[in-house]
Amino acid sequence: MKAIVVTDQAAGTAGMKVVQRPEPQAAINDVVVEIHASGFVPTELTWPSTWTDRVDGDRTPSIPGHELAGVVTALGYGTTGLSVGQRVFGLADWYRDGTLAEYIAIEARNLAPLPGDVDFTVGASLPISGLTAWQGLFQHGRLQAGQSVLAHGAAGAVGSMVTQLAREAGAYVIGTGRPADRQKALDFGANEFVDLENDTLEDVRGVDLVFDVIGGDIQKRSAGLIRAGGTLVTVVGPAETRPVDGLAVDFVVESDRAQLSEIVQRVRDGRLRTNIGKVATLDEAIAAFNSTERRAGKTVIRVRP
């Protein structure tokens, strides 16, 4: 099968190569999926799990990418809950070969059924962005109707999901981003927008939840905007500054079949829009990842036309 592999951590996306690899076999509780579309997060190439296994052994050449949509082609011994020929989407294990390939062997529990009226490209754009937003808001942030959310990067792949899910849950959403992001953030449902280059972030006060995808100075300043008892949720590592009389939670997104099903149902109902930027083929993928243009939305790789 055709796949993209990485072997050199220092090279970044420039070190990616398209190669031929054997098709994977399904282990116990696995399925093999013929991948139709996949997603890739550029920061993956800084994650230890891209380069080493769970006991810190070298696992290169490894196949990156962790989001997929496709069709089940084989079941491993003992696998239940899915069937050959079924359309699925989901989030692959961080420590196993990923989704920038024509096939993947993946634990069945990491997949959810993909309804026939949802395109594979849309399905592949949902797992990391959708699950990150869902888990950050509802599991870790414990968001309730009537609360306020400061959503950083509100026009981005994760931030646009945060904005939409928070609004649907009855929250008041203040989105942030660059000047060019204002209209997009408002279109995704932000009630207000803070231009991080020209507006004063500290004018925002007393929010219940900050959803941070930026880190650094913005994260530190945001901790001071949270009301007593509020929560800072971040996906960029442990918070350097905690809110006074509040919680700081950093987390790594996990696959969850029930949550994936909730997310895709909202897409079908028109309650949730995915934020897809560029769509490229597997042969074009490396050039797409190395683009000098700023990424607007999620880059999706269409493995099969």
Side-chain angles (χ1 to χ4, degrees), residues 4-253:
I4 291 176
V5 299
V6 291
T7 55
D8 180 359
Q9 187 168 1
T13 53
M16 290 177 155
K17 294 177 183 171
V18 180
V19 301
Q20 287 293 324
R21 289 279 290 267
E23 288 185 19
Q25 302 299 306
I28 294 172
N29 294 325
D30 275 359
V31 298
V32 174
V33 177
E34 177 187 68
I35 297 173
H36 285 243
S38 69
F40 170 76
V41 181
T43 54
E44 282 180 37
L45 300 188
T46 66
W47 302 349
S49 56
T50 300
W51 308 99
T52 60
D53 60 23
R54 283 186 166 84
V55 293
D56 212 27
D58 179 28
R59 70 176 196 88
T60 58
S62 61
I63 301 172
H66 293 283
E67 298 167 285
L68 75 148
V71 176
V72 176
T73 59
L75 304 180
Y77 180 78
T79 300
T80 59
L82 296 173
S83 57
V84 172
Q86 187 171 8
R87 300 171 94 248
V88 291
F89 75 120
L91 183 63
D93 189 286
W94 308 124
Y95 289 91
R96 294 178 62 173
D97 276 341
T99 61
L100 294 180
E102 293 180 314
Y103 293 88
I104 187 174
I106 180 173
E107 285 186 86
R109 67 189 178 101
N110 289 337
L111 298 168
L114 181 69
D117 56 355
V118 178
D119 187 79
F120 288 116
T121 303
V122 172
S125 74
L126 293 172
I128 287 181
S129 301
L131 289 172
T132 299
W134 187 283
Q135 291 167 19
L137 288 171
F138 306 125
Q139 279 182 231
H140 304 296
R142 302 179 186 273
L143 182 67
Q144 303 292 320
Q147 292 186 325
S148 55
V149 176
L150 180 64
H152 286 307
V158 173
S160 59
M161 290 284 182
V162 171
T163 298
Q164 293 175 87
L165 289 172
R167 279 296 304 273
E168 189 203 19
Y172 185 90
V173 180
I174 304 160
T176 80
R178 302 183 187 189
D181 296 333
R182 180 183 298 273
Q183 192 56 51
K184 191 172 183 181
L186 296 173
D187 289 345
F188 274 114
N191 298 91
E192 295 179 38
F193 183 80
V194 176
D195 170 355
L196 292 176
E197 293 180 13
N198 300 298
D199 296 336
T200 303
L201 181 60
E202 284 70 19
D203 287 345
V204 177
R205 287 286 173 186
V207 296
D208 295 286
L209 190 154
V210 170
F211 202 118
D212 170 48
V213 297
I214 299 173
D217 180 60
I218 294 295
Q219 182 195 84
K220 291 178 185 176
R221 292 163 61 194
S222 299
L225 310 179
I226 299 171
R227 66 159 180 81
T231 307
L232 168 66
V233 173
T234 180
V235 294
V236 292
E240 296 180 48
T241 305
R242 304 178 68 85
V244 177
D245 297 325
L247 292 175
V249 181
D250 66 282
F251 75 101
V252 175
V253 65

Side-chain angles (χ1 to χ4, degrees), residues 261-282:
S261 297
E262 290 276 5
I263 290 163
V264 80
Q265 186 58 49
R266 282 163 172 73
V267 173
R268 297 180 76 197
D269 293 347
R271 290 179 285 160
L272 189 63
R273 286 189 294 130
T274 189
N275 187 359
I276 297 173
K278 185 174 180 62
V279 179
T281 66
L282 196 58

